[in-house]
Amino acid sequence: MYSKDGENYYIVDAHVALWDARPENQLNIHGKQFIDCFYDYHRNLSPESERWTYEEYLYQGGERLLKDLFTDGYVDHAIFQPAHLGAFYRNGFGQTEEAFALASEHPDKLTYNHCFDPRLEQAGLDQLRRDAERFGLKGVKLYTAEWRGDSRGYKLDDPWTYRYFEACQELGIRNIHIHKGPTIRPLDRDAFDVADVDKAATDFTDLNFVVEHCGLPRLEDFCWIATQEPNVHAGLAVAIPFMHTRPRYFAQIIGELLYWLDEDRIQFSSDYALWTPRWLVEMFVDFQIPEDMTEYAPLTVAQKKKILGLNAAAMYDLDVPDELRLPREEPQAVAVA
């Protein structure tokens, strides 16, 4: 929980990872390129006081994650969103066993989502069923630009992807998180395009499609899709650190999201360990859209509470203490003629 000016905020960090990018886990040059690109984002968008050394950035481990999120970072609950990247890392980038063990040890604090790749076809579909049972999955994280063999990506509206979504419906996996954001070296920019979200969201209206990184740099395309698809949500990973380096740019991002979507479909995340949540939570609570950006309404405390945690808590059925919920609006009386 975070408290400021008499207001208490329930915090859900909706996109975190436990990764291993140490040299011994790098399969080839692309593993180094990937983590170096991550580190450039971290270094360039973080306050100087929050920058890590390159060596500690390669691997954090569970104890540090717990400290950074829950002891120091105000987080009440966090959701693992792993990326496998088996073409770049010997044992994968996201550490499944370590993350799941941590979530099993701290179920009140951590939810483990897993990943799938529809290019594995039937074998992968069978694995998804086993994973759903083992992990108790409520959500999955998809990386449409991930390399596999000669393939350098897939689309959400591919026939095999649809078969996996049908399995998600059957298995009760309601929340589909998709990386649709900035390109990370060496992955291809076009493989992160948001256009395929439109068709999938239309065809699977009982699934939530959380577009992580809100489609950046394709924010306008994303907003035009999300405004017509009520099951499309925006994740603020990567977007929110711009509060520090380019506050007017972030004001535009959050202003557009609130205009086209609504305050119930935007989720906070630090994208740990790209960044740590403490400074992001503090800065977002204090953040306000500049007065001269008159096309956007000022951010309210209620909007910030929803974005920082209540929206993701509702999606994942988290038990929010009554004192941290928003007051329920009383239904308005209807005049009778």
Side-chain angles (χ1 to χ4, degrees), residues 2-240:
Y2 179 62
S3 299
K4 180 74 180 289
D5 297 331
E7 298 287 350
N8 297 321
Y9 299 80
Y10 183 82
I11 309 298
V12 178
D13 199 336
H15 189 290
V16 305
L18 191 59
W19 68 57
D20 184 357
R22 290 174 291 189
E24 55 268 31
N25 194 33
Q26 294 173 13
L27 185 61
N28 47 42
I29 185 61
H30 300 313
K32 186 175 190 314
Q33 290 172 334
F34 189 87
I35 194 60
D36 285 356
C37 185
F38 261 31
Y39 190 64
D40 285 342
Y41 279 116
H42 167 78
R43 200 166 39 88
N44 293 328
L45 297 182
S46 298
E48 186 173 356
S49 61
E50 304 298 328
R51 294 174 191 162
W52 293 5
T53 66
Y54 181 75
E55 288 69 26
E56 62 185 336
Y57 200 71
L58 294 175
Y59 174 75
Q60 301 78 44
E63 287 189 15
R64 176 156 190 175
L65 179 144
L66 293 173
K67 181 178 185 298
D68 288 339
L69 268 58
F70 303 109
T71 303
D72 299 337
Y74 311 115
V75 174
D76 293 283
H77 200 92
I79 304 171
F80 281 116
Q81 308 286 2
H84 181 60
L85 300 175
F88 303 160
Y89 296 97
R90 300 180 192 280
N91 298 313
F93 181 65
Q95 297 303 290
T96 296
E97 297 304 327
E98 191 174 2
F100 179 59
L102 208 61
S104 299
E105 187 178 351
H106 303 278
D108 57 326
K109 294 181 180 296
L110 289 163
T111 292
Y112 180 74
N113 284 354
H114 199 48
C115 50
F116 68 67
D117 188 332
R119 292 168 296 184
L120 293 173
E121 299 184 349
Q122 187 61 48
L125 195 56
D126 295 340
Q127 185 63 52
L128 173 61
R129 296 182 186 281
R130 292 191 292 269
D131 290 339
E133 181 177 0
R134 180 189 176 202
F135 300 131
L137 294 179
K138 292 185 176 180
V140 290
K141 169 68 184 296
L142 306 184
Y143 226 77
T144 57
E146 185 167 353
W147 293 4
R148 181 169 295 280
D150 294 331
S151 171
R152 291 172 63 148
Y154 64 90
K155 293 186 178 297
L156 298 180
D157 56 356
D158 288 343
W160 268 104
T161 312
Y162 267 36
R163 291 187 62 178
Y164 280 64
F165 288 156
E166 290 165 358
C168 286
Q169 290 176 310
E170 174 192 337
L171 296 166
I173 303 172
R174 297 182 295 114
N175 306 317
I176 313 297
H177 298 254
I178 319 120
H179 179 111
K180 295 287 188 179
T183 302
I184 305 166
R185 188 183 186 199
L187 303 174
D188 298 338
R189 176 184 181 275
D190 289 346
F192 287 132
D193 192 276
V194 297
D196 54 344
V197 174
D198 188 12
K199 184 177 178 182
T202 298
D203 291 343
F204 294 91
T205 55
D206 55 343
L207 299 180
N208 297 310
F209 290 87
V210 185
V211 176
E212 302 295 352
H213 324 297
C214 54
L216 293 175
R218 308 166 188 84
L219 179 64
E220 186 173 9
D221 288 349
F222 167 72
C223 286
W224 279 97
I225 292 170
T227 196
Q228 68 176 1
E229 304 290 353
N231 56 332
V232 171
H233 304 249
L236 289 178
V238 174
I240 200 164

Side-chain angles (χ1 to χ4, degrees), residues 323-337:
E323 64 272 18
L324 296 179
R325 297 178 182 270
L326 289 174
R328 293 182 180 178
E329 295 182 1
E330 294 295 330
Q332 295 182 351
V334 178
V336 178

